[in-house]
DNA sequence: CCAATGCGAGAGCACTGCTCTTGTTTTTCC
DNA sequence: GGAAAAACAAGAGCAGTGCTCTCGCATTGG
């Protein structure tokens, strides 16, 4: 019994039946993602997806229990797509100075967000369905943060990260310690605390641009973003040659 | 001919007709805001609003051309509510040190956002209707930013703001100068540029909390936010007694 | 081979935004 | 004051939505 929506990568020996099921499920998600990119999450219509796929709407309920579940499947995919982009940028820049690695990961996330605004809205915008985010989304979400914190951890390990001058308050340190215990990342609690503070600020920058809040205010958005991200790197204490702008 | 949705404050001598019209318009918006707060923007239903008000749905179209226009009216109201909150915090803290004024305004915005999550989502979350934000929303939006930048400007005027050590790039300065010319605020372009960089980061912090992105990560959210905001004040170069935590 | 299960199609329900028409009330102008 | 004009509420109706249920057909597993 396959659960709905999960990416059935390895179907293997399974009969033709479940293979067909996996293919139809993938086709549904693909068409849904297409409509999402075109019209946005609010206008994503189950019936339209079914229509485009040449099947009747009720048949679609064999694959997804409802519209919200289709959406959460798309959310999980979007999270992991963004996570993959961030991880790729982090590993591609391995060996570079911490501040340029940080900048590369941030740039990659921004690029992905601008290329997929509706999917970005799905994961970092207002929560669309009822209100509760299922657990599978949060664990998919952590990949992005892990990629970000990973370059900080690498910098600390290499001695390329300055210790905070005036440490964060004790309560924040406690939260940081709990997070560290859960994700198992090797870095001082004070540095993780600093990262946890910077983390939402990065998505504030990206979100403002994607959601059009910068329209009529900032025109040279690329340099704006790069400068902001460099400043965040400085806040994080990341070392690196100053402004190795390509 | 009254335009839809606009707050008809001064009806004055006008006949009983337009007075009734203003009242009905206000009642519609009130009920819509109630439903918005309960169910979110996606589930706001024109018919349900009409039903709750004891009228038929088609009658509602005499007051609002459509659902989207009702929503943009709510957006404008939400913007100006948040703007009023920010302005009040700014003027209430007049005379205090710049960094504590900054913190007060930030706190006030966070409090409002947490108290009205769906309205916050309306203005700083994913853009819900088609895609374009009418002009009236952007001018209402500027009030919030003006309150924020206002305390920075006051700090500069009082000599309580440090000049940036390494200035922002030239292109960002150009954008800052254009913004300054448009809004007519007395502060150096470099300082405004710094403020424009910090601005989205603040709403990244608020948005992450309101949208539940901090769930399971940061538990002591108040100290977290205060610390982050203090750090932003430092980035802005705002002077003030260190951590005058109440 | 035959029962069990998975599946697609259709009808149908309750709901949505929106339009058009039909009377009624109110304002406005001569 | 009375007639023309405008504003209004109500209803019917259209196209679309998510979702449920039932019905036959196909595939699967024992």
């Amino acid at each position: 019994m396959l659960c709905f929506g999960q990416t059935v990568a390895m179907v293997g020996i399974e009969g033709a039946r479940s293979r067909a099921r996996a293919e139809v499920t993938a086709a549904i998600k693909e068409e849904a993602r297409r409509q999402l990119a075109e019209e946005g999450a609010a206008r994503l219509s189950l019936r339209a997806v079914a229509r485009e796929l040449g099947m009747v709407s009720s048949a679609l309920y064999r694959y997804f229990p409802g519209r919200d579940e289709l959406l959460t499947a798309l959310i999980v995919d979007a999270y992991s797509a963004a996570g993959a982009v961030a991880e790729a940028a982090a590993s591609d820049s391995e060996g570079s100075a911490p501040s340029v690695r940080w900048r590369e990961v941030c740039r990659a996330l921004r690029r992905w967000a601008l290329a997929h605004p509706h999917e970005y809205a799905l994961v970092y915008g207002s929560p669309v369905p009822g209100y509760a985010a299922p657990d599978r989304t949060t664990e998919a979400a952590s990949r992005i943060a892990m990629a970000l914190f990973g370059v900080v951890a690498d910098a600390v390990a290499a001695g390329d990260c300055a210790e905070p001058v005036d440490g964060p308050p004790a309560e924040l340190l406690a939260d940081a310690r709990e997070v560290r215990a859960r994700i198992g990342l090797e870095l001082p609690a004070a540095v993780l605390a600093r990262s946890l503070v910077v983390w939402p600020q990065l998505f504030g920058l990206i979100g403002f641009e994607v959601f059009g809040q910068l329209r009529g205010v900032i025109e040279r958005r690329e340099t704006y973003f790069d400068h902001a991200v460099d400043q965040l790197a400085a806040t994080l204490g990341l070392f690196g040659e100053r402004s190795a702008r390509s």
Side-chain angles (χ1 to χ4, degrees), chain A:
Chain A
M1 163 77 85
L2 288 175
C3 190
F4 76 90
Q6 62 190 10
T7 321
V8 197
M10 325 253 67
V11 63
I13 336 296
E14 308 279 345
R17 191 104 215 197
S18 57
R19 181 194 310 274
R21 182 181 179 84
E23 276 177 18
V24 174
T25 306
I28 291 173
K29 284 208 294 185
E30 190 181 352
E31 174 60 27
R33 187 158 24 241
R34 212 187 54 77
Q35 290 194 15
L36 173 71
E38 265 191 3
E39 306 261 29
R43 295 187 202 270
L44 186 144
S45 153
L46 252 176
R47 287 184 116 112
V49 170
R51 198 183 310 131
E52 211 70 18
L53 259 54
M55 55 169 139
V56 90
S57 75
S58 61
L60 216 149
Y61 284 83
R62 301 256 173 216
Y63 300 89
F64 293 91
R67 202 194 94 116
D68 286 3
E69 283 76 11
L70 213 195
L71 257 180
T72 68
L74 294 186
I75 292 180
V76 172
D77 283 9
Y79 264 125
S80 80
V85 159
E87 286 167 4
S91 70
D92 283 358
S93 62
E94 239 165 64
S96 305
S99 74
V100 336
R101 291 191 69 198
W102 168 262
R103 197 192 309 147
E104 285 312 310
V105 175
C106 293
R107 278 178 171 176
L109 280 170
R110 168 174 177 267
R111 233 168 325 174
W112 181 85
L114 288 175
H116 309 87
H118 288 115
E119 296 185 57
Y120 179 85
L122 221 50
V123 308
Y124 284 115
S126 356
V128 251
Y131 205 42
D135 291 342
R136 294 215 323 280
T137 69
T138 66
E139 68 189 50
S142 65
R143 282 182 60 187
I144 303 175
M146 283 297 287
L148 248 8
F149 299 161
V151 328
V152 179
D154 290 350
V156 170
D160 287 340
C161 180
E163 281 288 318
V165 281
D166 52 341
E171 293 189 14
L172 179 50
L173 271 180
D175 270 332
R177 261 186 280 268
E178 285 174 23
V179 169
R180 186 180 50 181
R182 191 140 18 91
I183 65 178
L185 213 55
E186 295 272 342
L187 79 179
V191 176
L192 178 54
R194 219 162 41 174
S195 310
L196 286 169
V197 168
V198 162
W199 171 48
Q201 299 180 15
L202 167 63
F203 291 97
L205 285 163
I206 297 177
F208 257 44
E209 182 171 0
V210 173
F211 296 156
Q213 227 88 29
L214 258 38
R215 193 181 304 134
V217 181
I218 303 292
E219 237 52 62
R220 267 68 57 131
R221 311 231 167 105
E222 189 126 1
T223 53
Y224 169 77
F225 182 79
D226 286 353
H227 174 68
V229 153
D230 282 355
Q231 203 164 281
L232 288 182
T235 307
L236 284 171
L238 260 30
F239 292 162
E241 61 268 313
R242 284 231 154 271
S243 65
R245 216 160 296 272
S246 68

